[in-house]
Amino acid sequence: MARSVVVTGGGTGIGLAVARRFAEAGDEVTIVGRRREVLERAATSLGAMVRPLVCDLADADAVASLLKELPDRIDVLVNNAGSREIAPGTGPHGVLARWRGDFERNVLTAVLLTESVRDRLTQGQGRVVTISSIAAVRGADSYGASKAALHAWNHFMAAQLGPHGITANVVAPGTVAGTEFFGDRLDEAELVRRAGRTLVGRVGEPEDVAAAVHFLASPEAGYITGEILHCNGGELLGR
Ligand SMILES: NC(=O)c1ccc[n+]([C@@H]2O[C@H](COP(=O)([O-])OP(=O)(O)OC[C@H]3O[C@@H](n4cnc5c(N)ncnc54)[C@H](OP(=O)(O)O)[C@@H]3O)[C@@H](O)[C@H]2O)c1
């Protein structure tokens, strides 16, 4: 039976690869993001089983409206939406804007939606997979701290959802090329430098992360919950 899958940030990069993976498996996929044209282009490329929904997931009013559009049953929720503020804020107001922004972009986008749809997650086999980052364990100012907060929150969600037979896990990618995340900051020299930090001699591709997400969302992964799966080519070991 086709599963009902929601992928946030499913219009680009890692989220698009995740959405493609589920769509190719015959699942019904809803992709959520802020830019309608990006989502519609993605949905068209993925096929008829993919539905685009526009929402700023850091905005509680927008999430409340989104609830009317989302499926009543959600088998898999992938909290992938997130980004990093590039311009560093200085002074108390700049620091506040940067930290608040990173927590809104990376924590609230996952927490607001997951808490809002928790009663729609399929009892006995539901799956929540959240994308954090290698930055959560290596440290990267407010962005790393916001991704680390997802780890702590995931422990809580796993405990909350476990008695209902629903798992909650995190995938923490290292550098992944071919997404909008870095903008133009990931030139050839930087890619080579980052590839050299891994044990496998390359940076990640969106499909690497999609494969990890797809496994954690599979029925076979029902005995894995509250975990953080690092997907970084061996750049960081033993975390
Ligand atoms: N690329 C990497 O090296 C890397 C490494 C570690 C972790 N990550 C994480 O992986 C996830 C995916 O990133 P990516 O690399 O694929 O970059 P990306 O192409 O920029 O994807 C981020 C997606 O999230 C959506 N999004 C952002 N804020 C949103 C909001 N408030 N509401 C709804 N949708 C929102 C964006 O769409 P709209 O702008 O249209 O809303 C976009 O589709 C992020 O959480 C990122 O932190 C990336």
Side-chain angles (χ1 to χ4, degrees):
M1 191 177 101
R3 292 193 294 174
S4 166
V5 180
V6 175
V7 182
T8 71
T12 65
I14 293 169
L16 178 58
V18 169
R20 183 180 301 114
R21 182 104 193 192
F22 284 103
E24 286 177 354
D27 292 325
E28 293 167 8
V29 184
T30 303
I31 55 176
V32 184
R34 292 167 298 183
R35 290 168 296 168
R36 180 177 302 282
E37 68 284 4
V38 168
L39 291 169
E40 287 179 349
R41 200 179 326 125
T44 302
S45 76
L46 294 176
M49 302 286 273
V50 178
R51 198 161 67 106
L53 291 179
V54 175
C55 179
D56 181 347
L57 293 163
D59 179 331
D61 290 337
V63 173
S65 299
L66 177 73
L67 293 178
K68 298 170 207 138
E69 308 294 327
L70 285 173
D72 292 336
R73 188 193 93 237
I74 298 174
D75 299 304
V76 180
L77 170 60
V78 182
N79 292 310
N80 162 80
S83 63
R84 182 173 189 181
E85 181 62 60
I86 299 163
T90 55
H93 293 96
V95 172
L96 178 66
R98 192 172 76 248
W99 277 76
R100 186 175 274 164
D102 270 330
F103 271 75
E104 287 178 358
R105 284 183 286 270
N106 295 293
V107 181
L108 289 180
T109 48
V111 173
L112 282 179
L113 182 61
T114 306
E115 292 283 6
S116 301
V117 301
R118 60 188 288 170
D119 293 341
R120 301 188 194 188
L121 296 169
T122 311
Q123 302 271 320
Q125 57 189 24
R127 302 278 184 264
V128 179
V129 183
T130 299
I131 306 300
S132 73
S133 170
I134 194 171
V137 286
R138 193 159 53 193
D141 196 36
S142 49
Y143 174 70
S146 70
K147 292 300 195 183
L150 289 174
H151 293 185
W153 171 71
N154 186 68
H155 296 334
F156 170 75
M157 286 314 297
Q160 293 277 303
L161 298 173
H164 304 283
I166 301 165
T167 66
N169 292 288
V170 168
V171 175
T175 299
V176 177
T179 82
E180 294 183 354
F181 183 78
F182 288 100
D184 56 7
R185 289 171 292 140
L186 208 56
D187 60 15
E188 200 51 42
E190 181 64 11
L191 277 174
V192 169
R193 195 179 71 78
R194 287 171 176 255
R197 294 199 307 226
T198 72
L199 299 183
V200 296
R202 68 172 178 88
V203 297
E205 298 172 0
E207 289 72 21
D208 293 316
V209 183
V213 171
H214 200 252
F215 165 66
L216 288 171
S218 69
E220 291 81 5
Y223 202 51
I224 302 172
T225 195
E227 284 295 336
I228 298 156
L229 176 55
H230 291 278
C231 183
N232 59 35
E235 184 173 342
L236 266 186
L237 300 177
R239 301 297 180 116

